[in-house]
């Protein structure tokens, strides 16, 4: 029977749970790896830009979220051990422990962006950076660039911490090792919540079917929090992608007017 000789996870356990028990499981077990094309062709970029420009007054950006997940290197994953004390110690050593307390850190009291750290769950540590609309924003007025230099510096420092390989499970050829095989790589997922009003160009919806081959998912949102919508009560759709190539994300965000995003 196939099993990981480092953590003891068996092939049958992996098939049932869909989760790695440690960083070495990624080398031990087989799983489907979806290959997405790296670059969105210019013709499709132009088509997206045309539709968004035409429907600008009918589309609102309600929120923008970036999520990063990490597991401690040379440790069992949360499937076996959440390692909360070890993660807290690492956060403390690097000056980020206070970010676990939403009520005391000034960076967390600002709605844009809301920065949150979570322990446990699928991975040892999860970071979420969420921008929400405080007013009725069109694509051109979403306040993603209205960030003080101090807050921007704090967030960048936190992101650098998440990309320091000496702390996290990492393997050449795989990238950062998450508990879920689909999160291998950067361990990053970006998503937008869009509010769609009546009268939007009908081709808006069919357009996003063409983006699936680039790893961009588009679907009605059912798991959003009501407070993230502000006063909007129309159709809400989510656009999301995992481990996006930086160049394609920049192009897509440029169309949405989100040049200041992370």
């Amino acid at each position: 029977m196939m099993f990981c000789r480092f953590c003891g996870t068996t092939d049958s356990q992996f098939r049932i749970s869909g989760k790695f028990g440690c960083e070495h499981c990624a080398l031990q077990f087989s799983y489907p790896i979806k290959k997405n094309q790296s670059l969105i062709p210019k013709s499709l970029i132009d088509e997206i830009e045309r539709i968004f420009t035409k429907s600008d007054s009918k589309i609102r950006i309600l929120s923008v979220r970036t999520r990063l997940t990490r597991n401690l290197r040379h440790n069992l994953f949360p499937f076996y051990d959440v390692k909360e004390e070890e993660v807290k110690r690492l956060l403390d050593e690097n000056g980020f422990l206070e970010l676990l307390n939403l009520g005391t850190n000034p960076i967390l009291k600002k709605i844009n962006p809301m920065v949150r750290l979570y322990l446990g769950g699928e991975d040892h540590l999860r970071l979420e950076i969420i921008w929400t609309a405080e007013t009725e924003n069109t694509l051109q007025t979403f306040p993603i660039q209205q960030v003080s230099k101090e807050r921007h510096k704090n967030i960048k420092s936190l992101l650098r911490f998440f990309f320091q390989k000496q702390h996290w499970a990492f393997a050449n050829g795989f990238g950062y090792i998450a508990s879920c095989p689909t999160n291998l790589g950067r361990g990053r997922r970006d998503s937008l919540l869009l509010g769609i009003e009546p009268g939007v160009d009908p081709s808006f919806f069919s357009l996003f079917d063409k983006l699936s081959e680039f790893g961009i998912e588009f679907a009605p949102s059912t798991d959003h929090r009501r407070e993230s919508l502000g006063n909007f009560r129309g159709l809400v759709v989510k656009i999301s992608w995992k481990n996006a190539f930086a160049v394609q994300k920049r192009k897509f965000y440029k169309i949405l007017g989100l040049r200041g995003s992370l």
Side-chain angles (χ1 to χ4, degrees):
M1 179 176 61
M2 183 181 296
F3 67 97
C4 175
R5 64 186 181 91
F6 293 91
C7 69
T9 299
T10 65
D11 184 65
S12 60
Q13 285 178 318
F14 173 66
R15 298 299 170 193
I16 293 172
S17 70
K19 301 292 186 295
F20 294 138
C22 72
E23 60 197 277
H24 303 285
C25 288
L27 303 172
Q28 180 66 46
F29 301 118
S30 59
Y31 45 88
I33 301 176
K34 185 178 180 180
K35 295 290 185 180
N36 296 314
Q37 296 188 42
S38 60
L39 296 177
I40 303 174
K42 185 178 185 301
S43 59
L44 186 51
I45 287 288
D46 291 342
E47 186 178 358
I48 295 172
E49 190 165 23
R50 178 185 62 79
I51 291 177
F52 271 93
T53 300
K54 182 179 179 181
S55 303
D56 177 60
S57 63
K58 305 295 183 180
I59 303 174
R60 300 184 191 177
I61 300 178
L62 303 173
S63 67
V64 180
R65 185 181 77 162
T66 293
R67 185 197 69 187
L68 287 169
T69 59
R70 292 291 184 265
N71 287 301
L72 296 174
R73 67 194 302 256
H74 306 326
N75 276 277
L76 295 174
F77 284 5
F79 183 77
Y80 291 110
D81 193 342
V82 294
K83 297 290 182 181
E84 285 194 2
E85 293 307 314
E86 289 85 347
V87 176
K88 287 180 180 179
R89 189 180 308 117
L90 179 62
L91 291 173
D92 190 28
E93 291 171 353
N94 288 272
F96 298 115
L97 182 60
E98 60 183 0
L99 290 178
L100 288 174
N101 190 332
L102 297 180
T104 61
N105 194 281
I107 193 174
L108 298 172
K109 295 180 180 179
K110 303 293 185 178
I111 192 169
N112 279 327
M114 174 69 76
V115 181
R116 294 174 175 172
L117 288 175
Y118 299 89
L119 298 178
E122 283 193 357
D123 299 285
H124 288 139
L125 185 63
R126 183 173 88 248
L127 164 67
E128 288 191 356
I129 302 175
I130 306 173
W131 306 75
T132 56
E134 297 175 310
T135 58
E136 294 186 0
N137 297 277
T138 66
L139 294 178
Q140 303 304 316
T141 60
F142 190 78
I144 200 157
Q145 295 180 357
Q146 301 171 18
V147 183
S148 70
K149 290 183 178 180
E150 184 63 25
R151 262 194 295 159
H152 191 267
K153 180 181 177 181
N154 290 337
I155 294 172
K156 288 294 185 182
S157 177
L158 182 59
L159 289 173
R160 282 195 295 271
F161 168 68
F162 266 74
F163 283 93
Q164 291 174 350
K165 297 177 183 178
Q166 69 268 27
H167 300 313
W168 314 114
F170 183 91
N172 292 330
F174 291 88
Y176 293 95
I177 311 296
S179 293
C180 181
T182 61
N183 288 331
L184 291 178
R186 297 170 182 83
R188 174 170 179 158
R189 187 178 186 92
D190 294 274
S191 63
L192 309 172
L193 283 184
L194 298 182
I196 309 298
E197 296 183 347
V200 72
D201 189 329
S203 58
F204 171 85
F205 299 98
S206 60
L207 170 67
F208 282 89
D209 288 336
K210 302 177 183 179
L211 293 173
S212 61
E213 62 184 290
F214 304 97
I216 296 177
E217 303 169 3
F218 174 82
S221 175
T222 58
D223 62 351
H224 55 266
R225 296 185 178 94
R226 176 57 60 183
E227 60 266 25
S228 67
L229 304 184
N231 296 322
F232 185 78
R233 293 297 181 267
L235 173 65
V236 179
V237 298
K238 178 187 286 187
I239 302 173
S240 64
W241 52 92
K242 292 182 179 180
N243 300 320
F245 288 88
V247 63
Q248 74 180 41
K249 189 166 73 72
R250 282 198 299 268
K251 286 184 177 180
F252 191 71
Y253 274 20
K254 180 179 180 181
I255 293 171
L256 297 174
L258 303 179
R259 295 177 183 82
S261 62
L262 300 170

